[in-house]
Amino acid sequence: MNTQQRGLFLTLEGVDGAGKSTHVQWLVDQLTERGVQVVCTREPGGTALGEKLRALLLHEPMSLECETLLMFAARAEHLQAVIEPALRAGQWVVCDRFTDATFAYQGGGRELGVERIAVLERWVHPALQPDCTWLFDVPLAVARERLDRTREQDRFEQEAAAFFERTRAVYLARAQQEPLRIQRVDATQSVDQIRQQIVLQLEQLVTERRLT
Ligand code: TMP
């Protein structure tokens, strides 16, 4: 009998420039120090095919329908090849963005709305949701200041402020609707303050896991 306990699925979200990427490796290190086996990955991407789709998504002009379907095409591959096998094997998965990003960016930023994304979500991962999502939230002015202007901006980073206002609004609405899963992180705080908050929540997740 397979008594392996499923791993936890943790995601990080936020508008471009919110600063979440600074914390991804740190989060993995924190879990590893606590004896958790972790797979660290990202969306769009996470597989050889997914990384090719990422390059298209970030740099190739395309219709909104194509963009949304490609996000989910990459996700389907990622789930089957990386996320689900790892979770089944008891490993924890830390993923830089997941379906909340599609609701926020394509649904909100690009104004596709919720319905069609919800259909794709039910198709691609009807039973799986992240166990915990950290939403790095900053006012738009701060996010835009933090964007790395030393490199060429991708298709999303080049969007106007109104796009990011809509994206952020969807993220915040989702955090309100799902307060147990989505933890808002005030990302205007210092790196240390942010990590203090996340560590407390991590400790809780690790302890709960050990008790179940
Ligand atoms: P990153 O900058 O966090 O690596 O993400 C790449 C870009 O892709 C970012 O601007 C957000 C965007 N994106 C979407 O628009 N929809 C999605 O579903 C995902 C996963 C990312």
Side-chain angles (χ1 to χ4, degrees), residues 156-167:
F156 296 99
E157 291 163 336
Q158 284 170 18
E159 284 294 336
F163 170 92
F164 289 107
E165 290 287 6
R166 291 192 297 271
T167 302

Side-chain angles (χ1 to χ4, degrees), residues 127-168:
L128 179 73
Q129 285 296 330
D131 296 289
C132 180
T133 298
W134 285 284
L135 170 59
F136 288 76
D137 183 53
V138 285
L140 255 289
V142 179
R144 291 184 82 78
E145 229 165 72
R146 284 184 186 170
L147 278 182
D148 179 4
R149 308 264 178 212
T150 58
R151 57 169 174 76
E152 201 186 323
Q153 306 291 282
D154 67 39
R155 283 173 62 241
F156 296 99
E157 291 163 336
Q158 284 170 18
E159 284 294 336
F163 170 92
F164 289 107
E165 290 287 6
R166 291 192 297 271
T167 302
R168 181 184 184 212

Side-chain angles (χ1 to χ4, degrees), residues 12 33 59 83 96 145 183 186 200:
L12 296 92
E33 277 172 25
H59 302 292
I83 297 175
D96 191 343
E145 229 165 72
Q183 310 289 329
D186 173 359
L200 287 178

Side-chain angles (χ1 to χ4, degrees), residues 173-205:
R174 288 178 74 75
Q176 279 211 329
Q177 283 156 14
E178 290 186 71
L180 292 181
R181 173 174 73 86
I182 305 180
Q183 310 289 329
R184 180 181 168 276
V185 177
D186 173 359
T188 61
Q189 299 176 101
S190 69
V191 167
D192 280 353
Q193 285 171 318
I194 289 173
R195 289 181 175 179
Q196 275 172 28
Q197 172 183 345
I198 295 177
V199 138
L200 287 178
Q201 289 158 345
L202 261 192
E203 292 284 3
Q204 203 179 337
L205 288 170

Side-chain angles (χ1 to χ4, degrees), residues 12-16 20-21 42-44 54 57-58 67 71-72 75 96-106 110 151 154-157 163-164 171:
L12 296 92
E13 298 282 357
V15 297
D16 294 83
K20 71 181 162 47
S21 302
R42 68 170 179 182
E43 290 211 346
R54 178 188 176 91
L57 280 160
L58 265 48
E67 180 178 294
M71 288 292 178
F72 271 98
R75 184 162 296 138
D96 191 343
R97 299 193 187 282
F98 191 62
T99 299
D100 289 307
T102 319
F103 281 105
Y105 277 78
Q106 281 66 48
R110 299 227 194 276
R151 57 169 174 76
D154 67 39
R155 283 173 62 241
F156 296 99
E157 291 163 336
F163 170 92
F164 289 107
Y171 270 136

Side-chain angles (χ1 to χ4, degrees), residues 104-120:
Y105 277 78
Q106 281 66 48
R110 299 227 194 276
E111 300 182 275
L112 182 64
V114 175
E115 269 171 37
R116 277 179 280 181
I117 301 173
V119 169
L120 293 173

Side-chain angles (χ1 to χ4, degrees), residues 36-82:
V36 177
Q37 278 193 23
V38 192
V39 170
C40 181
T41 187
R42 68 170 179 182
E43 290 211 346
T47 63
L49 176 60
E51 291 295 325
K52 288 185 186 167
L53 295 174
R54 178 188 176 91
L56 291 173
L57 280 160
L58 265 48
H59 302 292
E60 196 76 27
M62 64 183 74
S63 68
L64 172 55
E65 286 71 19
C66 181
E67 180 178 294
T68 308
L69 291 165
L70 278 186
M71 288 292 178
F72 271 98
R75 184 162 296 138
E77 190 69 13
H78 194 203
L79 281 161
Q80 284 183 35
V82 177

